Amino acid sequence: MTPPQHKNFHTSNPETSAAIDRSLPEFAAAEVSDEDTFFKNHSPPNYLPEIESEVEEFIKFHLNRDKENAKIVLVTSGGTTVPLENNTVRFIDNFSAGTRGATSAEYFLESGYSVIFLHREFSLLPYSRHFSHSTNCFLDYMIEKDNKIEINPKFSNEMLKVYKKYHKAESENNLLLIPFTTVNQYLYTLKSICEKLQILQKNALFYLAAAVSDFFIPQYRLPQHKIQSSNINHDGELVIRLNQVPKFLSRLVDNWTNTRAYIVSFKLETDEGILIKKSKSALERYHHQLVIGNLLQTRKTEVVFVTKDNEDWVKLNDEEIANNVEIESLMIPQVIKLHDKWIKDI
Ligand code: 9Z3
């Protein structure tokens, strides 16, 4: 079976239709604390139907290949933006480069999972991450020889290793890249992919590593045009009011996914003293299977797996750190072990 050809979507430019759309009703200062209200009051990205059919095709392809054993993981990755204007000149963003998501996706692929990679456009991608965001210009990986361009022999061994893995994933149609930029695009696309994956039941795994904004400006309050520097108050300040992004995880667990799916969320903190407590309370609140806690400062060398009964730290030792071992190479086998146990027991 020939793998389907994927289209390229761009999510980073504001949708011009949305940018001039004032037809959305002026909602009475709606309390956007609830997920249903969010979806009622915000329009879906206009490219969503195309993404939905790509996702459907991808799932169909894998079910046709091996109905009983096809395992698909949805990996979310990178930060979401919060536009401050409808015709977006400025937006709020966060630190996430998508390292966790892109690296984890590679280890899932190596372990036989197919991956839907829902990522912030232009953040790190599986495989190309090894070269795309280095401090080298990509042309530094090349040399000119006899008026032809070649890979610099200095890098060719490393590149060949990565290329082989990339080529395997591509030629076997095991990796589907789906982009987002804004928090609205993220939530709509996430909901849609979750619903499509219900058919996989317990063979579906959700690995939610994206750093999703907690606050946003609802569409009914978003200024149409660029905020002017004259928009200041008496104290010379620009005041921006942000609403809370709905806690989508409860809907994801209770409604969007099949109750048999295995769901992993991440908890990010900066204060060591509250990491475990907050991870546990997320687990109790949303009733999913695993929370992986991490601190901003140490996220590349240690994480904690919090389940109903356990707290297990996964840490790189000094030798592993010196040898540039990626913590995801230890995390993903653990996640897979938990997913396998779930599949067996449920
Ligand atoms: C994470 O905690 C990820 O591990 C990181 C990865 C974002 C820290 P990088 O992209 O960083 O490798 O630079 N992701 C989840 C963060 C998050 O927003 N979690 C929510 C929360 O903490 C729950 S869904 O409240």
Side-chain angles (χ1 to χ4, degrees):
M1 197 176 187
T2 341
Q5 292 296 308
H6 302 302
K7 291 202 197 90
N8 282 321
F9 299 99
H10 281 292
T11 61
S12 48
N13 294 329
E15 279 180 21
T16 37
S17 58
I20 53 165
D21 182 8
R22 303 313 285 166
S23 63
L24 285 163
E26 296 284 323
F27 297 102
E31 276 295 313
V32 190
S33 57
D34 171 75
E35 307 75 15
D36 289 337
T37 319
F38 179 91
F39 288 111
K40 253 185 248 150
N41 291 357
H42 294 85
S43 26
N46 57 13
Y47 57 78
L48 191 63
E50 285 176 80
I51 282 191
E52 286 176 333
S53 64
E54 284 218 344
V55 171
E56 256 168 39
E57 243 181 272
F58 186 78
I59 296 172
K60 208 156 66 189
F61 177 90
H62 289 286
L63 286 177
N64 278 342
R65 197 154 73 180
D66 190 349
K67 194 167 181 343
E68 293 306 310
N69 303 307
K71 286 198 254 171
I72 300 185
V73 56
L74 171 67
V75 175
T76 71
S77 184
T80 56
T81 69
V82 173
L84 301 186
E85 297 129 349
N86 213 341
N87 291 280
T88 311
V89 174
R90 303 184 184 95
F91 52 84
I92 301 174
D93 203 349
N94 67 50
F95 71 96
S96 171
T99 313
R100 173 84 76 228
T103 312
S104 301
E106 287 182 21
Y107 291 107
F108 277 120
L109 285 160
E110 272 177 44
S111 306
Y113 278 74
S114 302
V115 175
I116 299 178
F117 189 66
L118 178 60
H119 66 284
R120 164 74 177 278
E121 189 170 358
F122 306 125
S123 66
L124 290 171
L125 292 178
Y127 306 115
S128 69
R129 75 179 169 101
H130 296 270
F131 311 101
S132 63
H133 288 49
S134 91
T135 43
N136 288 344
C137 162
F138 83 96
L139 292 170
D140 290 338
Y141 292 105
M142 322 282 176
I143 48 164
E144 187 190 333
K145 203 170 162 198
D146 305 328
N147 206 29
K148 287 204 175 92
I149 201 133
E150 282 183 9
I151 302 292
N152 185 333
K154 217 166 61 181
F155 300 110
S156 68
N157 275 349
E158 188 200 340
M159 227 179 227
L160 181 65
K161 262 194 257 158
V162 177
Y163 177 82
K164 280 184 175 165
K165 291 182 193 169
Y166 166 74
H167 187 255
K168 183 172 186 307
E170 273 290 293
S171 61
E172 295 178 2
N173 191 31
N174 284 334
L175 175 61
L176 180 64
L177 303 179
I178 305 285
F180 62 81
T181 297
T182 65
V183 68
N184 184 54
Q185 291 170 336
Y186 173 78
L187 288 177
Y188 262 104
T189 315
L190 176 69
K191 176 172 187 279
S192 202
I193 297 174
C194 287
E195 287 167 352
K196 303 272 173 235
L197 278 171
Q198 286 185 5
I199 189 171
L200 258 97
Q201 305 208 15
K202 59 187 181 180
N203 283 352
L205 174 60
F206 294 84
Y207 183 89
L208 308 169
V212 184
S213 173
D214 285 328
F215 304 101
F216 79 124
I217 304 182
Q219 205 157 350
Y220 72 90
R221 280 208 286 104
L222 207 57
Q224 167 83 319
H225 291 295
K226 185 181 161 221
I227 300 171
Q228 296 297 308
S229 48
S230 52
N231 274 20
I232 47 171
N233 67 13
H234 292 308
D235 297 321
E237 302 158 331
L238 174 69
V239 178
I240 295 171
R241 283 167 55 213
L242 299 172
N243 287 34
Q244 234 188 331
V245 170
K247 295 286 173 212
F248 66 91
L249 201 52
S250 77
R251 263 314 131 89
L252 186 147
V253 175
D254 294 339
N255 302 93
W256 303 351
T257 54
N258 188 297
T259 49
R260 288 148 67 91
Y262 194 84
I263 299 168
V264 184
S265 74
F266 278 76
K267 177 52 84 187
L268 173 68
E269 291 299 339
T270 54
D271 176 356
E272 194 175 2
I274 61 171
L275 180 64
I276 301 270
K277 194 173 118 224
K278 295 292 286 271
S279 302
K280 277 189 175 157
S281 78
L283 207 57
E284 278 157 22
R285 188 162 174 192
Y286 304 118
H287 310 292
H288 57 305
Q289 288 73 35
L290 169 66
V291 175
I292 302 181
N294 55 178
L295 293 170
L296 180 71
Q297 306 86 327
T298 54
R299 68 190 189 281
K300 299 197 186 208
T301 53
E302 58 181 52
V303 299
V304 58
F305 278 45
V306 179
T307 55
K308 217 160 45 90
D309 319 305
N310 278 319
E311 287 155 33
D312 288 325
W313 283 93
V314 176
K315 293 186 185 188
L316 293 176
N317 61 33
D318 291 345
E319 196 188 335
E320 288 167 331
I321 294 172
N323 288 325
N324 294 324
V325 172
E326 296 173 314
I327 191 163
E328 291 78 7
S329 70
L330 309 181
M331 291 165 65
I332 302 310
Q334 294 266 33
V335 172
I336 293 176
K337 216 153 95 192
L338 291 166
H339 186 208
D340 281 346
K341 185 167 174 347
W342 173 261
I343 292 175
K344 227 169 56 225
D345 292 352
I346 199 174

